[in-house]
Amino acid sequence: MAPAEVVTWAVLSQRLPLISMASAENEACAVQSIACPSQAWRLQTVRLDSAGRVEGPRTSGHVTGKMAVFPWHSRNRNYKAEFASCRLEAVPLEFGDYHPLKPITVTESKTKKVTRKGSTSSTSSSSSSSMVDPLSSVLDGTDPLSMFAATADPAALAAATDSSRKKRDRDDNSVVGSDFEPWANKRGEILARYTTTEKLSINLFMGSEKGRAGTAAFAMSEKVRTRLEELDDFEEGSQKELLNLTQQDYVNRIEELNQSLKDAWASDQKVKALKIVIQCSKLLSDTSVIQFYPSKFVLITDILDTFGKYLSYEMCLFCQELGDHFSPENANDTAKETCLNWFFKIASIRELIPRFYVEASILKCNKFLSKTGISECLPRLTCMIRGIGDPLVSVYARAYLCRVARLTWGSVSCSALLLNSVMSAFRAEFIATRSMDFIGMIKECDESGFPKHLLFRSLGLNLALADPPESDRLQILNEAWKVITKLKNPQDYINCAEVWVEYTCKHFTKREVNTVLADVIKHMTPDRAFEDSYPQLQLIIKKVIAYFHDFSVLFSVEKFLPFLDMFQKESVRVEVCKCIMEAFIKHQQEPTKDPVILNALLHVCKTMHDSVNALTLEDEKRMLSYLINGFIKMVSFGRDFEQQLSFYVESRSMFCNLEPVLVQLIHACVAYCFITIPSLTGIFTRLNLYLHSGQVALANQCLSQADAFFKAAISLIPEVPKMINIEGKMRPSESFLLEFLCNFFSTLLIVPDHPEHGVLFLVRELLNVIQDYTWEDNSDEKIRIYTCVLHLLSAMSQETYLYHIDKVDSNDSLYGGDSKFLAENNKLCETVMAQILEHLKTLAKDEALKRQSSLGLSFFNSILAHGDLRNNKLNQLSVNLWHLAQRHGCADTRTMVKTLEYIKKRSKQPGMTHLTELALRLPLQTRT
């Protein structure tokens, strides 16, 4: 073994018992060694005083003693050059014909079946280039509707387009004018115009044809009983499919079905007739031959019309009264029972399209049940159409519903219902531009069965989506509110008011909004009617804050806060407060000190905070804390620190039940951090807050306060328990402690030394705490921490540090690369190295060899990254660590290979030629 060297060692001024004493005398030293394939290294003890403390430069000048043979020398770093070498190289990219928006062309193989006599079927294929983007077809006119339009005569199409444009320019508000074309005329035109040469198919699933033909001898009651039994008899039959039909064949087949319907009805086979109608209705879901669909629609609806007329006529026979002005009071029980049975049977149809068409075809039969039957049925059928996914099918379904609904006009008083249907179905822009005309029609319409306030609500819904002419806006609001404010029923009133509040907020000032809110309060306060209308009141609040982003204007609306007082149910009140705070955080761009805003939002935040109790979920607490913290961040009194502090103190007293809010206040008010952090329960919360508060203080040039925070954090580390509770589970705390200390070391790099506490005083205090901390027996976290300390000290030895804080002079500026400071730094590095090597020696056991290999390689990498390997002794130490990592075959061969390749690559860089020799001394051992 090489003889030990005597060196001057200035060490920590606080207690740091690095290596145990081998004898009672202070001058004695214990030589510890770890056997390596090539040689051994030696660790020496340090000089201790009688109290067991390491003698340092401030207590005994300098101490001579035996030291390890591997002194530390940090390599000089040029951070700018290293950053430049790590940047990605810019390589020109040749796009060629490629463009991300260029459509992709694929080859589609079409297979055609060829059948030959006396042989099995074979296939022939052809390829074609097709566009796979489904949206681009809309632009180039190849979508089905564009192709359909292209089949028309271009001249006629242009003329029709010009004619429709001129017609839109004229006043076309009349529901039915003198130029209205009857369906009988339109029907023939459609059949003549929309034809096809493609093959068509009919797929029918018919039930059994057994029926009970009626006889004249049956009494009326017996016939009714038989009819009810037939309606219940839906037996499964056979499926019949007709393929490759020409258009004329298809028309003939539909006419045959129409005749079959008439024959079945005449022979009293009502179930068969219903099945024919159902199966025919299903054909309207097929749009495979799209250019023929209008004609198919005409043919099928003819059958539906026939069915509807037959059923309506039969109901009239039961009542022994005919005529369009039939009243439900004239219907007897037999007619009502039979009519209900038909509706119930139709309601049981599983598929949407046949259920809709069959019920629409007998819409007129609702008059046998009640006066409002048709007015109640029409909105429901309108909503049913929304479930039809194919746009073409849904449009024609609406057309059929409009046609059958119009046929009931004069039979029932439903002008208000029709007007409401128009406002519900037409585009909002169409309604908005004609708002005054619609208001005139609403005033004149017959509201029996459909009150006018619902019409104003429908109008308001359209005006929320589209703007009316500016000159009409005030008059529209006045006309609508005249009707709304006279409503006596609170539910009717709030349902309309909720819609028109948005119109008011959108087009008027806070004065009009205040008037509307006052009217709402007036109507909803008596008898506490607001308790039954919280959803509508919430919508009003959301609409108001959606349009008033200036909260100084919002809270100056006189009736806004009284409106909030109506939310007396706590859960609802909290939800409203959350909506207000979300809007404030989203739209408030600049910090504010407006007393109106502060007082109002403090009240809102206090309401949210006071809702927290022992049963409140953690997610809810986090949400409330986020909203309150967002408010606190936006409050600033500028240089008026007294006012700012007063606000924080008031906030802390108001929001004491939410710890995240306390944390936010702590960050904002450094002066009160020291007295607030100890009151928190989580130890890592306290540690991180001490560190973060120190960083904030440092960033604001409060150096003494920063030192106090860092010292508090250091003194708290011994209190870290072995196990901590993480989301309800007990977990070891060492990994969390390691993470905290790594962050702490990164901060200590830029913390300047205190002039009264000596060189690196915070680092030395932290090392003492780490040394005294009780670590797990099988844990390597302590050595990983020492490795991080070694990185920190290496960074501290550079002439210019990697990062700085503005207006704070770090040690690189204070010491300017002074040789005494560098010597202190290197000696401290050697002390840390001794601890790492001592720990590696303790791992020379079978069960710990893998850990020894991993830590050895990690220490090797640290020396490679931060040490000056031109120093022969440090170079030799790295070689020993390399051999140690491979000694027992526990090393990761891939990692070792990549590490060696990295060393060889670095050796080619300027000033790194010494690594070439090192690479030659690092063999790779194979496992055999």
Side-chain angles (χ1 to χ4, degrees), residues 759-830:
V759 177
L760 302 176
F761 76 103
L762 286 176
V763 178
R764 288 187 277 109
E765 288 188 10
L766 185 56
L767 281 173
N768 280 316
V769 170
I770 294 172
Q771 177 67 21
D772 291 340
Y773 186 80
T774 305
W775 302 88
E776 295 290 339
D777 295 336
N778 297 324
S779 173
D780 299 322
E781 300 295 342
K782 179 179 179 181
I783 302 306
R784 292 190 175 93
I785 292 174
Y786 279 141
T787 304
C788 293
V789 174
L790 194 63
H791 301 167
L792 168 65
L793 295 173
S794 300
M796 284 183 166
S797 66
Q798 305 301 317
E799 291 186 4
T800 303
Y801 289 171
L802 180 60
Y803 46 85
H804 296 85
I805 290 182
D806 188 34
K807 300 180 182 179
V808 174
D809 293 328
S810 300
N811 284 342
D812 57 342
S813 299
L814 295 179
Y815 294 109
D818 182 76
S819 58
K820 294 183 179 179
F821 171 77
L822 296 178
E824 288 276 345
N825 184 290
N826 287 339
K827 298 306 180 181
L828 200 54
C829 289
E830 293 165 8

Side-chain angles (χ1 to χ4, degrees), residues 157-171:
L157 183 61
T161 304
D162 184 65
S163 175
S164 62
R165 186 181 300 109
K166 292 180 179 178
K167 188 174 182 180
R168 283 196 303 268
D169 294 337
R170 296 195 303 267
D171 185 13

Side-chain angles (χ1 to χ4, degrees), residues 353-378:
I353 292 178
R355 184 169 72 250
F356 163 77
Y357 273 104
V358 177
E359 184 174 357
S361 68
I362 64 169
L363 177 66
K364 196 173 183 178
C365 294
N366 281 278
K367 67 180 181 179
F368 295 98
L369 302 178
S370 66
K371 288 184 177 180
T372 60
I374 295 178
S375 62
E376 293 173 355
C377 186
L378 273 176

Side-chain angles (χ1 to χ4, degrees), residues 1 31-43 837 840-844 849 852 879-888:
M1 294 184 181
V31 179
Q32 311 286 352
S33 65
I34 300 179
C36 289
S38 58
Q39 67 178 71
W41 61 72
R42 301 187 179 192
L43 301 180
L837 295 175
L840 286 174
K841 181 189 76 69
T842 63
L843 298 178
L849 293 178
Q852 186 188 59
V879 173
N880 293 346
L881 291 170
W882 180 268
H883 285 286
L884 179 65
Q886 299 184 99
R887 182 181 181 191
H888 298 285

